[in-house]
Amino acid sequence: MLRFCSAFFLLLAIAAAEQADSIWSARYVITMDARRRIIENGAIAVRGQRIVGVGTRLEIDKQFTAKQHLDRPAAILAPGLINTHTHAAMSLLRGIADDMTLQDWLTKFIFPAEAKNVTADSVRWGTRLACLEMLLSGTTTYTDMYYFEDVVAEASKEAGMRGVLGETIIGFPAPDHKTPEETLQATEKFLQRFHNDPLIVPAVAPHSIYTVPENILRASRALADKYKAPVLIHLSETKKENDDSLAKRHMSPARYLDSIGFFAGPTLGAHGVWLDDADRKILNARRVGLSHCPSSNTKLASGIAHVDQILREGIAMGLGTDGVAGSGNNTDMIREMDIAAKMQKIAQMDPRALNAQTAFEMATITGARALGMEREIGSLEVGKRADLITLRLDSPHATPLYEIYSQIVYALNGSDVRDVMINGKQIVRDRQVLTLNAAEILAKAAEYRTKISNSLQ
């Protein structure tokens, strides 16, 4: 009789449990919610595209049943990483030109190489390569500015990645469009095509104030406002950019853009190295997000952004890897956290500057805020998109563990990512990307390397 009763109540409990599609559990769950909860022996329940439960494994197993379970007892379960600035298809140009200034890098190598080699096909394979790399290092959302952005979006969706993607608008003939006016027309079609897409947020992306004339900057803002889309732009990346703007307009880049109404809607500025007090006040008032690219800024000697001050003043500043053609050379966001924290410490001669938790916030919830997407991504909370990763803790360099944020930022690296889920779908399992053919992508990249090298001789 007792056995019958026990079985009966077990069946009742199972019947009462909510149905989920999957439950992921791990030694620690880093939520990045408002309380910054870290749950030991935690779990996440997912139904469809969204998180439906966050708690201890015992709590989640009691509340939910699921078709699929993933248990990583020697891992951290964390929000997917958010790369707030890159040029994905430039992965085919990785290392083509290094150890030079940004202006020489762009004008003597990158722009000529792009003019000779960038096609819809190269962008498709370059984006596939970048997505493969980003997925294997834990990036679930990336922000992109490049050419043939409709192809970038197609390749991103094929990979299962979330992207904030903008067609680069530039004031000279580009690989896909000969005039900025043509690019604006193509951008409008792009905005229409990917409106309300579950993975793609289409954006308008004028390159910078030094490559785009004022009438096109104004038109870019107007187009973005028409479709309630964000604008992406390079902003105060180098001292030369700032000095030239002051000489030409008697205004910094940020003050100039504000004077023409450019910050009237959602905007993300990449870099923000040379912002002064007045610039930051403008950006804060206009709620402009920023992307800090520490590897790029150090490698190109662009300068060191005042990250701690920017964050203290309430400006949302995420992290980005920039393009891998020579500014950053890879898309490992964990490396960017490490470099970002250490740059601020040496710049301020203070080891307390930009601590590990803040660096991790920049790669997750603060990056989501910079993109205006904090209600959807950036933390593990009920109702948010199910974008999550697991990080191994059973490697020598991950042992022992005393403090989680410190371990992630200073000890781990991208290759410690084991599993990735985006929008409720598992994309990486045991370091195998399930959506892309890695061997085919690497072979195609080798073909393009030969072609690009020959074109530059």
Side-chain angles (χ1 to χ4, degrees), residues 15-138:
E18 295 181 48
Q19 183 65 47
D21 294 325
S22 58
I23 294 174
W24 283 22
S25 55
R27 180 179 170 188
Y28 298 102
V29 171
I30 303 181
T31 65
M32 300 312 293
D33 63 9
R35 291 182 289 159
R36 299 297 189 261
R37 285 185 304 155
I38 297 174
I39 305 170
E40 191 167 0
N41 296 319
I44 303 290
V46 174
R47 185 189 304 127
Q49 300 173 355
R50 297 189 181 270
I51 297 169
V52 293
V54 180
T56 65
R57 181 173 179 176
L58 187 64
E59 290 168 341
I60 296 301
D61 284 345
K62 184 177 179 181
Q63 185 178 354
F64 296 94
T65 60
K67 304 169 188 174
Q68 187 259 348
H69 287 257
L70 181 74
D71 183 30
R72 299 298 190 210
I76 293 169
L77 181 53
L81 306 179
I82 300 169
N83 186 340
T84 53
H85 181 62
T86 192
H87 312 283
M90 292 180 79
S91 61
L92 293 180
L93 300 174
R94 189 192 316 270
I96 195 171
D98 289 311
D99 305 325
M100 61 187 66
T101 67
L102 174 64
Q103 292 302 316
D104 284 347
W105 180 73
L106 283 173
T107 59
K108 296 180 180 179
F109 290 92
I110 298 303
F111 289 156
E114 288 177 332
K116 293 177 180 179
N117 294 285
V118 173
T119 63
D121 187 69
S122 75
V123 167
R124 189 176 304 279
W125 286 103
T127 303
R128 285 171 174 164
L129 178 61
C131 287
L132 184 66
E133 181 183 359
M134 286 189 283
L135 287 169
L136 288 171
S137 53

Side-chain angles (χ1 to χ4, degrees), residues 134-147:
M134 286 189 283
L135 287 169
L136 288 171
S137 53
T139 294
T140 56
T141 297
Y142 76 106
T143 305
D144 190 71
M145 301 170 64
Y146 208 59
Y147 310 110

Side-chain angles (χ1 to χ4, degrees), residues 43 89 149 159 191 262 312 396 446:
E149 204 66 29
L191 294 170
F262 191 82
R312 278 198 305 271

Side-chain angles (χ1 to χ4, degrees), residues 243-262:
D243 289 348
D244 288 351
S245 183
L246 289 168
K248 180 179 180 180
R249 306 177 183 92
H250 306 293
M251 290 184 283
S252 69
R255 288 194 283 278
Y256 164 63
L257 288 170
D258 190 52
S259 75
I260 64 172
F262 191 82

